[in-house]
C-alpha cells in the first residue's frame, strides 16, 4: 500500500529572501538533524541574469534502524538525490528528492515548495508532499514502513524549528534583511504594492503613503526588511489584521489555523485531514463540511482515510436527503416536547465544553413516543446535536482554544423498570444508531448520576450500540457518590451545579411528568411529517369491526422463542387471543369495510373452515381489554409453527337472568361510533437467551403482572405474562 503525506501550509513571518538564507545554512550538514550525515553537490547551474539557481545534491542519511536490518540490507547509509530550483524573480523554491538506495525495492518521492504568502509579501509559506511505496524488502516490508513513517513524521515536526533556529542565528549576527533580486538594468528598488490583500479575504483599507521612499539600512528594524518607520507601522497593522483573519474556515488550511481551531495534531494526522478535505473539494458536489466536522470522522476511524471517507460520504448524503443543514432554522419543537422532554443546555463544564443536562429518570419515554412518534423525537435529538455543534464553534471563539465536543450530564433519579419498555428502548437504539453514524466524536464526556439498581439492565441493552471510544468517556456514579471527591465538582464549576443536584444554580430543564393520553397520536396521524428520517415506524394500527377481527402471523422456527407485544386500545373494547397452527394460513383476506390505509389494515388469517382444536389451538386464555388500556406481555413458544395474534371486537355480554344487556354496557356502547374499535400495536420475536422478562410501561405501572397461564395446558403447555 502506498503511504502518502500532505502537509498544511506552514507560515514563516519573515520575507522569502531571509528564509532562503536560513535554509542554505542546513548544508552541507546540519547538527540539528542527527541522521543527516553529509551532502555533496552533484551539479549546479545559474541563469545569466542570476534569477534562477538550480542545484543537485547527493545526501547521506544514517537511518535509525535495527542493526540486524542494516546488516541484512548491507548498507550503513541511505542516499537521496535532491534537486532544488530557486527562482529569485518569482520568489519560489521548488525541491524534489527521491531515494537512490534500494530504488528498485522502495520508492520514496518528496516535493516541497517555499513561496511568498498570498496576502502578505513579507511572509513565506511552505508546503510539502511525499509518498512511500515499499514493493519488497527481504520480508521486512512492514517493519521498514513503520521505521520510515516514524522518522519522516519526526523530521516534519522538526523542520520548522530548524528554519526558525537559523533565522534567529541570522538575527544574532545582525542580518535582518536580504535584498530582493532585481534585474541588472534596474538600480533602485520598486515601490511596494499599495494593497496586500487578495481574494477571497479582502483587508480593510489602511492609510498608505503616496510614495514609498527607497529603503536605507538605517531604516531596517526587527526584521522589517528595510521599510521606513511608516512602512514598518503599516506592515505591523497588516500583520495584526492578517492574524485576526487567519484560520477562518474559508481560508486555505495552514498550521497556525489548525492549532488554533482544530487542536494539536501530529503531522500525519494533519496530512489525513488535508488530503480528505482536498478530495471532498474535488469530488463532492454539495456543501463541504467544516474542517472540525471532517476531523471528527477521521478520529472516529483512527485517521484511516478510506474508512473515514466512506462514513463521511454516507453522512453527507443523509444530511442532504433529509435537509439536516437547515434543521435549526426549520424545526420548531412541539409544545409536548417543550413541556415533557426533560433535557436542555446549561452553561459549560470546566474545559469550556457546552453542557447538556438530561433528567432521564423523570422522562415519560412511552408517552413521548406515542404523542410524537419516532420521527419527531429523532428530529428533536438531531436538533440538539446541531445546536451542540453550533455551541462548540461559539465556545472555540470565546475561550480561544479548540472545543469540538460537549459534555452530557444524565440524572437517573426515578429510573425504574417502567423505563425499560421495549418499544421505547428500541426507538432509543435507533436514535443512537443515527447519531453515532452522523455525529461521531461529539461527546467529550458523559456523567451518569444517581444510577439505580435497574441501570445495569438498561446498560446491557444499550451499550452494544455505542462505539467503544464513546463508552470510554462514560463516568457512572451511584447514589450520592457524585457529591464527593472525584465527583461532579471535578468537571463542573460549583457555581453552575443545578439546584436539583444540590447546587445553587437554577436549571431551566423541564421536570417532565406523564404525557396525557389525550395527546397520543396514531401512525396515520404521524404519516404527515414533512421530512421522513425513517422509512418505517415501530407501531402499526388497525381498525377492528364486529365480525372482522384483525390478525397478524408470526412464524416460529426455533422452539422456546419469545413473542412479545405491546398495544394500546385507542377506541372501543377488544378481546386479545393467541393461536397456534402447524400449517400456514391461506392468503390474508382484507376486511369487508374497505380499509386501505397502510396504517389501518384489517386482515383475517384464520379460514372460516378451520376448526378450533383441530386446525389450530388457543395457547393463551382470551384477554378482554377496555378502551384506553395499555397491554404488554410475552409468550414463550413450545413448538415451532405459525402463531396468530388476534384482536376482535368485544361483544357486549348479556345478563344471565334476563338475557338482556347491562345498563353500563349499553351506555358504553353509545360512546363508540358504529361497531368499530382501534388498536395500536407492536410485536417482536426474541430468542430465549435474549429475553429478560416483560417490562411494564409508565401508564400501566400501577398494576403488576398478571399470570394468565402459569400451568400447563393441553394445547401448548406454555407460560405467558401479560401486564395491563
Amino acid at each position: 500500500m502506498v503511504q502518502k503525506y500532505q502537509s498544511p501550509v506552514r507560515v514563516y513571518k519573515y520575507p522569502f529572501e531571509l528564509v532562503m538564507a536560513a535554509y542554505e545554512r542546513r548544508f552541507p550538514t546540519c547538527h540539528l538533524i542527527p541522521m543527516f550525515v553529509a551532502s555533496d553537490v552533484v551539479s549546479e547551474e545559474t541563469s545569466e541574469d542570476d534569477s534562477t539557481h538550480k542545484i543537485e545534491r547527493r545526501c547521506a542519511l544514517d537511518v535509525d534502524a535495527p542493526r540486524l536490518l542494516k546488516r541484512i540490507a548491507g548498507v550503513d547509509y541511505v542516499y537521496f538525490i535532491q534537486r532544488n530550483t530557486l527562482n529569485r524573480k518569482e520568489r519560489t523554491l521548488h525541491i524534489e528528492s527521491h531515494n537512490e538506495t534500494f530504488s528498485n525495492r522502495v520508492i520514496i518521492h518528496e516535493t516541497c515548495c517555499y513561496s511568498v504568502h498570498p496576502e502578505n509579501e513579507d511572509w513565506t509559506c511552505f508546503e510539502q508532499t511525499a509518498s512511500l511505496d515499499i514493493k519488497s524488502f527481504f520480508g521486512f516490508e512492514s517493519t521498514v514502513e513503520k521505521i520510515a513513517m516514524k522518522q519522516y513524521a519526526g523530521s516534519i515536526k522538526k523542520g520548522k524549528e530548524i528554519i526558525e533556529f537559523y533565522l534567529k542565528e541570522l538575527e544574532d549576527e545582525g542580518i535582518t534583511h536580504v535584498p530582493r533580486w532585481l534585474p541588472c538594468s534596474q538600480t533602485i528598488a520598486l515601490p511596494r504594492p499599495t494593497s496586500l490583500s487578495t481574494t477571497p479575504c479582502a483587508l480593510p483599507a489602511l492609510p498608505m503613503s503616496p510614495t514609498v521612499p527607497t529603503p536605507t539600512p538605517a531604516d531596517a528594524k526587527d526584521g522589517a526588511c528595510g521599510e521606513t518607520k511608516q512602512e514598518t507601522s503599516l506592515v505591523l497593522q497588516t500583520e495584526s489584521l492578517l492574524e485576526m483573519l487567519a484560520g477562518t474556515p474559508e481560508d486555505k488550511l495552514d498550521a497556525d489555523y489548525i492549532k488554533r481551531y482544530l487542536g494539536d495534531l501530529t503531522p500525519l494526522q494533519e496530512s489525513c485531514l488535508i488530503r480528505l478535505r482536498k478530495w471532498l473539494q474535488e469530488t463532492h458536489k454539495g456543501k463541504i463540511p467544516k474542517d472540525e466536522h471532517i476531523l471528527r470522522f477521521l478520529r472516529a476511524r483512527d485517521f484511516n482515510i478510506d474508512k473515514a471517507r466512506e462514513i463521511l460520504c454516507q453522512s453527507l448524503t443523509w444530511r442532504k436527503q433529509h435537509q439536516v443543514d437547515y434543521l435549526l432554522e426549520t424545526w420548531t419543537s412541539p409544545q409536548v416536547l417543550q413541556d415533557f422532554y426533560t433535557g436542555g443546555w446549561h452553561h459549560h463544564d470546566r474545559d469550556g465544553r457546552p453542557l447538556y443536562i438530561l433528567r432521564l429518570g423523570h422522562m415519560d419515554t412511552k408517552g413521548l413516543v406515542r404523542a410524537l412518534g419516532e420521527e419527531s423525537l429523532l428530529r428533536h435529538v438531531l436538533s440538539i446535536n446541531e445546536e451542540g455543534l453550533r455551541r462548540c464553534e461559539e465556545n472555540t471563539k470565546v475561550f480561544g482554544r479548540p472545543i469540538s465536543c460537549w459534555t452530557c450530564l444524565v440524572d437517573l433519579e426515578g429510573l425504574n423498570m417502567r423505563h425499560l419498555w421495549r418499544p421505547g428502548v428500541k426507538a432509543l437504539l435507533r436514535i443512537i444508531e443515527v447519531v453515532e453514524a452522523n455525529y461521531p466524536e461529539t461527546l467529550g464526556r458523559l456523567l451518569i448520576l444517581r444510577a439505580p439498581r435497574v441501570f445495569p439492565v438498561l446498560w446491557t441493552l444499550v451499550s452494544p450500540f455505542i462505539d467503544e471510544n464513546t463508552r470510554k468517556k462514560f463516568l457512572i456514579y451511584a447514589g450520592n457518590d457524585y457529591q464527593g471527591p472525584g465527583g461532579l465538582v471535578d468537571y463542573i464549576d460549583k457555581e453552575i451545579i443545578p439546584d436539583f443536584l444540590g447546587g445553587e444554580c437554577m436549571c431551566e430543564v423541564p421536570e417532565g411528568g406523564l404525557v396525557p393520553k389525550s395527546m397520543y397520536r396514531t401512525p396515520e396521524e404521524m404519516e404527515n411529517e414533512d421530512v421522513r428520517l425513517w422509512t418505517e415506524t415501530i407501531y402499526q394500527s388497525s381498525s377492528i369491526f364486529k365480525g372482522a377481527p384483525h390478525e397478524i402471523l408470526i412464524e416460529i422456527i426455533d422452539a422456546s422463542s419469545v413473542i412479545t407485544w405491546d398495544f394500546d386500545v385507542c377506541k372501543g373494547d377488544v378481546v386479545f387471543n393467541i393461536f397456534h397452527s402447524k400449517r400456514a394460513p391461506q392468503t390474508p383476506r382484507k376486511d369487508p369495510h374497505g380499509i386501505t390505509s397502510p396504517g389501518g389494515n384489517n386482515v383475517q388469517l384464520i379460514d372460516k373452515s378451520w376448526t378450533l382444536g383441530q386446525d389450530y389451538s388457543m395457547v393463551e386464555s382470551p384477554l378482554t381489554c377496555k378502551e384506553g388500556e395499555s397491554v404488554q406481555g410475552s409468550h414463550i413458544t413450545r413448538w415451532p409453527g405459525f402463531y396468530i395474534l388476534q384482536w376482535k371486537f368485544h361483544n357486549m355480554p348479556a345478563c344471565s337472568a334476563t338475557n338482556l344487556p347491562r345498563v353500563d354496557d349499553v351506555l358504553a356502547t353509545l360512546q363508540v361510533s358504529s361497531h368499530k374499535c382501534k388498536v395500536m400495536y407492536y410485536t417482536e420475536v426474541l430468542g430465549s437467551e435474549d429475553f429478560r422478562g416483560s417490562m411494564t410501561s409508565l401508564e400501566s405501572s400501577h398494576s403488576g403482572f398478571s399470570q394468565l397461564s402459569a400451568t400447563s395446558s393441553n394445547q401448548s403447555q406454555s407460560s405467558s405474562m401479560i401486564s395491563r
Side-chain angles (χ1 to χ4, degrees):
M1 180 179 176
V2 179
Q3 296 286 349
K4 295 183 178 181
Y5 171 77
Q6 170 68 61
S7 76
V9 178
R10 306 191 187 280
V11 179
Y12 300 95
K13 297 180 181 180
Y14 296 90
F16 175 79
E17 289 74 20
L18 199 62
V19 173
M20 290 299 98
Y23 173 78
E24 286 298 325
R25 295 202 170 198
R26 296 175 52 173
F27 301 99
T29 185
C30 178
H31 70 279
L32 298 175
I33 311 177
M35 70 174 181
F36 184 22
V37 178
S39 64
D40 298 320
V41 177
V42 177
S43 64
E44 190 169 6
E45 178 185 343
T46 304
S47 63
E48 291 184 3
D49 60 357
D50 200 37
S51 63
T52 304
H53 179 225
K54 297 181 180 179
I55 186 169
E56 181 175 320
R57 295 184 177 95
R58 187 171 185 261
C59 305
L61 303 181
D62 184 9
V63 179
D64 184 14
R67 187 178 183 84
L68 176 62
L69 186 60
K70 286 187 176 182
R71 292 186 62 182
I72 293 174
V75 297
D76 290 325
Y77 301 128
V78 176
Y79 290 91
F80 279 78
I81 301 299
Q82 184 190 73
R83 296 187 180 95
N84 292 3
T85 302
L86 173 63
N87 190 321
R88 296 187 176 95
K89 182 179 180 180
E90 301 293 336
R91 304 179 76 193
T92 60
L93 172 65
H94 292 280
I95 306 169
E96 284 191 42
S97 62
H98 64 273
N99 62 307
E100 182 184 72
T101 309
F102 302 118
S103 59
N104 60 332
R105 294 178 178 273
V106 180
I107 300 175
I108 300 174
H109 186 260
E110 180 187 55
T111 61
C112 304
C113 179
Y114 288 89
S115 60
V116 178
H117 194 288
E119 297 173 358
N120 190 330
E121 61 179 9
D122 287 327
W123 289 357
T124 304
C125 297
F126 173 76
E127 293 184 79
Q128 182 178 12
T129 62
S131 63
L132 168 67
D133 185 8
I134 302 177
K135 298 184 179 299
S136 64
F137 203 86
F138 314 107
F140 292 93
E141 292 81 11
S142 178
T143 303
V144 171
E145 181 179 299
K146 290 178 181 178
I147 292 173
M149 295 301 293
K150 180 180 178 181
Q151 297 211 358
Y152 192 72
S155 65
I156 292 168
K157 191 173 183 180
K158 205 168 184 181
K160 186 175 181 180
E161 297 175 5
I162 293 172
I163 293 294
E164 290 179 340
F165 171 83
Y166 286 120
L167 285 168
K168 182 66 167 59
E169 188 175 82
L170 288 168
E171 184 179 349
D172 293 341
E173 295 174 7
I175 302 174
T176 58
H177 170 66
V178 176
R180 295 185 188 179
W181 174 89
L182 294 174
C184 296
S185 60
Q186 189 170 343
T187 57
I188 60 172
L190 295 174
R192 296 283 180 88
T194 58
S195 175
L196 300 179
S197 63
T198 59
T199 304
C201 289
L203 296 176
L206 297 174
M208 302 289 291
S209 301
T211 59
V212 181
T214 304
T216 63
D219 295 320
K221 183 179 181 181
D222 297 330
C225 304
E227 298 92 339
T228 62
K229 293 181 179 180
Q230 186 173 4
E231 278 189 286
T232 303
S233 176
L234 168 63
V235 171
L236 290 175
Q237 292 179 57
T238 306
E239 287 184 7
S240 177
L241 285 166
L242 283 170
E243 287 175 350
M244 288 189 291
L245 292 171
T248 61
E250 292 78 17
D251 292 342
K252 190 173 182 179
L253 280 185
D254 62 53
D256 292 337
Y257 162 75
I258 290 176
K259 186 173 182 179
R260 168 64 178 82
Y261 289 90
L262 304 179
D264 291 321
L265 303 179
T266 68
L268 296 182
Q269 289 173 345
E270 290 176 340
S271 173
C272 291
L273 172 62
I274 293 166
R275 288 164 56 199
L276 182 53
R277 185 179 188 261
K278 183 178 179 181
W279 180 85
L280 287 170
Q281 291 172 335
E282 293 174 349
T283 61
H284 186 63
K285 296 181 180 180
K287 182 180 178 182
I288 302 297
K290 296 180 180 179
D291 298 322
E292 52 266 37
H293 202 54
I294 298 175
L295 186 58
R296 290 186 182 101
F297 284 87
L298 283 167
R299 283 176 170 150
R301 292 299 179 266
D302 295 323
F303 287 88
N304 183 308
I305 287 187
D306 293 333
K307 293 181 179 179
R309 178 168 51 210
E310 180 182 354
I311 60 172
L312 177 56
C313 289
Q314 292 173 355
S315 178
L316 292 177
T317 302
W318 172 83
R319 293 181 70 90
K320 183 177 180 180
Q321 180 182 356
H322 301 296
Q323 304 176 27
V324 179
D325 289 331
Y326 310 103
L327 192 61
L328 289 180
E329 291 78 19
T330 59
W331 168 251
T332 302
S333 298
Q335 191 61 44
V336 65
L337 275 175
Q338 298 178 29
D339 295 338
F340 296 99
Y341 190 87
T342 55
W345 294 100
H346 181 76
H347 300 283
H348 55 80
D349 68 5
R350 287 183 178 272
D351 296 323
R353 296 167 175 159
L355 176 62
Y356 189 83
I357 294 180
L358 181 64
R359 303 185 69 179
L360 186 59
H362 287 224
M363 188 180 295
D364 179 1
T365 52
K366 178 176 181 178
L368 289 175
V369 172
R370 291 289 177 82
L372 296 168
E374 304 97 273
E375 286 289 334
S376 294
L377 200 56
L378 173 61
R379 272 200 276 179
H380 183 65
V381 173
L382 295 182
S383 71
I384 293 172
N385 282 269
E386 290 293 310
E387 174 65 16
L389 296 178
R390 189 194 66 78
R391 286 175 178 258
C392 285
E393 290 183 28
E394 187 177 283
N395 285 17
T396 295
K397 298 174 183 177
V398 171
F399 292 99
R401 60 178 182 272
I403 295 174
S404 61
C405 52
W406 52 83
T407 293
C408 185
L409 187 156
V410 181
D411 179 22
L412 296 184
E413 183 190 43
L415 186 78
N416 53 39
M417 288 299 292
R418 65 185 182 182
H419 289 89
L420 303 185
W421 172 62
R422 193 160 192 87
V425 172
K426 188 171 182 178
L428 173 63
L429 297 181
R430 295 171 73 184
I431 290 174
I432 290 174
E433 185 178 7
V434 173
V435 172
E436 281 283 320
N438 298 284
Y439 300 91
E441 296 298 315
T442 53
L443 182 65
R445 184 181 293 116
L446 180 65
L447 303 171
I448 299 177
L449 309 184
R450 301 198 276 195
R453 293 182 179 180
V454 73
F455 175 71
V457 180
L458 180 62
W459 179 247
T460 302
L461 294 171
V462 173
S463 60
F465 295 86
I466 302 175
D467 180 74
E468 182 180 355
N469 291 332
T470 303
R471 292 202 300 266
K472 293 177 181 178
K473 302 170 184 176
F474 285 32
L475 296 172
I476 303 172
Y477 299 89
N480 293 324
D481 293 348
Y482 69 92
Q483 296 178 346
L488 201 56
V489 292
D490 283 11
Y491 306 101
I492 300 174
D493 289 331
K494 185 177 180 180
E495 294 76 18
I496 64 170
I497 294 179
D499 50 351
F500 61 86
L501 292 176
E504 299 178 356
C505 186
M506 294 297 294
C507 184
E508 297 180 357
V509 174
E511 294 185 1
L514 295 179
V515 178
K517 285 194 174 183
S518 59
M519 293 185 175
Y520 285 12
R521 295 193 299 164
T522 64
E524 294 96 323
E525 294 172 328
M526 298 175 187
E527 284 292 324
N528 297 324
E529 300 288 349
D530 294 332
V531 180
R532 300 293 295 175
L533 297 170
W534 283 325
T535 56
E536 75 280 347
T537 179
I538 289 179
Y539 278 89
Q540 303 295 324
S541 69
S542 179
S543 296
I544 301 161
F545 303 90
K546 190 172 185 179
H550 177 64
E551 297 164 343
I552 62 173
L553 180 67
I554 298 176
E555 183 178 3
I556 297 297
I557 304 299
D558 300 323
S560 299
S561 296
V562 182
I563 302 173
T564 67
W565 58 84
D566 178 280
F567 65 87
D568 279 346
V569 183
C570 303
K571 186 177 183 180
D573 299 344
V574 299
V575 177
F576 178 65
N577 289 297
I578 307 175
F579 302 101
H580 171 263
S581 175
K582 294 181 179 179
R583 59 190 177 112
Q586 298 297 320
T587 304
R589 306 190 317 276
K590 297 291 183 179
D591 73 281
H593 296 79
I595 301 297
T596 58
S597 169
N601 281 343
N602 178 282
V603 177
Q604 290 93 57
L605 299 170
I606 300 176
D607 194 276
K608 291 184 178 180
S609 63
W610 280 17
T611 303
L612 183 63
Q614 296 181 4
D615 300 291
Y616 67 106
S617 58
M618 182 180 293
V619 297
E620 293 283 359
S621 301
L623 178 67
T624 301
C625 308
K626 300 292 186 180
E627 179 177 330
E629 286 189 339
S630 297
V631 179
Q632 300 83 37
S634 61
H635 174 82
I636 303 175
T637 63
R638 184 171 179 81
W639 303 296
F642 299 91
Y643 287 79
I644 300 171
L645 275 58
Q646 180 194 76
W647 291 267
K648 70 176 183 179
F649 187 85
H650 175 54
N651 289 313
M652 185 172 51
C655 298
S656 58
T658 62
N659 208 26
L660 295 174
R662 295 193 297 264
V663 174
D664 291 343
D665 294 326
V666 172
L667 294 175
T669 303
L670 295 176
Q671 298 176 2
V672 180
S673 60
S674 71
H675 297 286
K676 177 181 176 181
C677 301
K678 195 167 190 177
V679 294
M680 290 176 60
Y681 63 89
Y682 160 84
T683 63
E684 185 177 4
V685 178
L686 306 173
S688 58
E689 67 278 3
D690 298 326
F691 182 64
R692 300 181 182 277
S694 299
M695 301 171 185
T696 185
S697 70
L698 282 166
E699 285 73 30
S700 59
S701 60
H702 61 272
S703 60
F705 297 110
S706 56
Q707 186 78 21
L708 297 185
S709 181
T711 59
S712 300
S713 68
N714 294 330
Q715 297 160 333
S716 69
Q717 294 184 350
S718 65
S719 64
S720 172
M721 296 174 67
I722 299 182
S723 67
R724 301 180 56 188

